[in-house]
Structure formats: C-alpha cells, structure tokens
Amino acid sequence: MKKLFILIFALAFSSASYAQTTAYFGKEINDKKAIDAKVLPEKMAGKEEYATKVTGTVESVCQVKGCWMKVKMDNGETMRVMFRDYAFFVPKDIAGKTVVFEGDAQFKTVPVEHLQHYAKDAGKSDEEIAKITEPKKEMTFIADGVLVK
C-alpha cells in the first residue's frame, strides 16, 4: 500500500511539473506551422497585413501589466506583440523564453505618444522618454493567442 501511495504521488507530481512547462494566454494555440520571427519581414514583403502563426524569443515584456511583449527578429530588431482587444496579458517575467503567437502582423506608423507610453511601460527614464520625438513605422503583431514554452 505504501509503495502504491508513493507511485501515485510521484505520478501526480511529475504531471503537475509537466503542466507548468507550457502556458496559454488568450486563444489556445499550438506550435504547428509556426514560422520563425526572423523570416516574418520577408513574408510581409509588399503587404501591409499578414495573418500567420509565429515563433520567437521574448526580448522584453511590459512591466506594468504584461500588456505587450517584444520578440526578437533579425539584425537585432524587435517586433511589438500586442493582444487583440486588450483581452489578455502575458506574465511579466518571460523575457528569454520561446513563444508562439497567432494573429495578424502589420506595418503601421506608431505615434510619438504611443512610443513614449511604451517606453514608460518598459521602465525607461524620463530623459530617455523625452528623446522620443518622431513617429516610427514598424512591424507590429496583434495576437489572438500566445503559447509560452
């Protein structure tokens, strides 16, 4: 009986630790057919919007709420990933983790006010925020779901 109890406890513990290796936010998705974030600019060539599933490494996360994350792309650039209709957030401590996200990539011009807001959310100093004086055209992503590995 004691051995059976130990076996059940060990199985339950290993299942619980396995369940914590991945987490879903928003729509539950998988990693099948996800393209690497580094090739997304190539796929976007000539398009303003592109529906897809992407995988990449998180560079940083909004430290106020987890309401956006930046994912590494090619040449040291990053892409801001936001969440459709502000419907969900991601943990603030996932920098360095691999994520998969599904939704719409798009090129858009981000106004100065938004860039300053993002800088504040990222914990930048007032001096750094004050240096943001021009809008910026950048690739962004509106995600319906995120899988953190």
Side-chain angles (χ1 to χ4, degrees):
M1 183 69 169
K2 186 175 181 181
K3 287 181 183 179
L4 180 62
F5 177 73
I6 292 171
L7 178 64
I8 291 171
F9 179 77
L11 287 172
F13 182 78
S14 67
S15 296
S17 64
Y18 175 75
Q20 294 176 2
T21 60
T22 58
Y24 300 93
F25 301 91
K27 174 183 164 187
E28 190 171 317
I29 62 170
N30 60 46
D31 59 359
K32 292 181 176 132
K33 297 184 181 180
I35 63 170
D36 193 293
K38 293 176 181 173
V39 301
L40 186 56
E42 180 184 313
K43 299 277 188 184
M44 286 284 296
K47 301 178 178 105
E48 285 295 311
E49 192 166 317
Y50 182 64
T52 189
K53 188 186 303 183
V54 178
T55 185
T57 303
V58 177
E59 186 264 339
S60 61
V61 178
C62 169
Q63 291 300 295
V64 175
K65 298 184 205 178
C67 56
W68 53 259
M69 63 184 174
K70 283 189 168 183
V71 173
K72 295 177 184 178
M73 293 184 19
D74 217 3
N75 300 328
E77 293 183 28
T78 59
M79 170 179 56
R80 186 175 315 277
V81 179
M82 296 173 286
F83 313 114
R84 191 164 321 273
D85 299 327
Y86 219 52
F88 62 96
F89 304 123
V90 295
K92 296 183 277 185
D93 63 350
I94 62 170
K97 297 215 181 223
T98 299
V99 292
V100 178
F101 45 98
E102 185 174 11
D104 299 308
Q106 50 193 227
F107 282 110
K108 68 180 204 176
T109 301
V110 182
V112 171
E113 300 81 34
H114 291 182
L115 294 170
Q116 290 174 337
H117 177 84
Y118 297 148
K120 184 176 180 180
D121 284 353
K124 302 287 183 187
S125 69
D126 289 341
E127 293 80 27
E128 290 173 294
I129 294 169
K131 290 179 183 175
I132 302 170
T133 59
E134 297 290 324
K136 181 179 176 186
K137 184 163 184 161
E138 63 183 19
M139 183 182 300
T140 60
F141 199 97
I142 306 300
D144 296 310
V146 176
L147 166 65
V148 179
K149 294 183 172 186

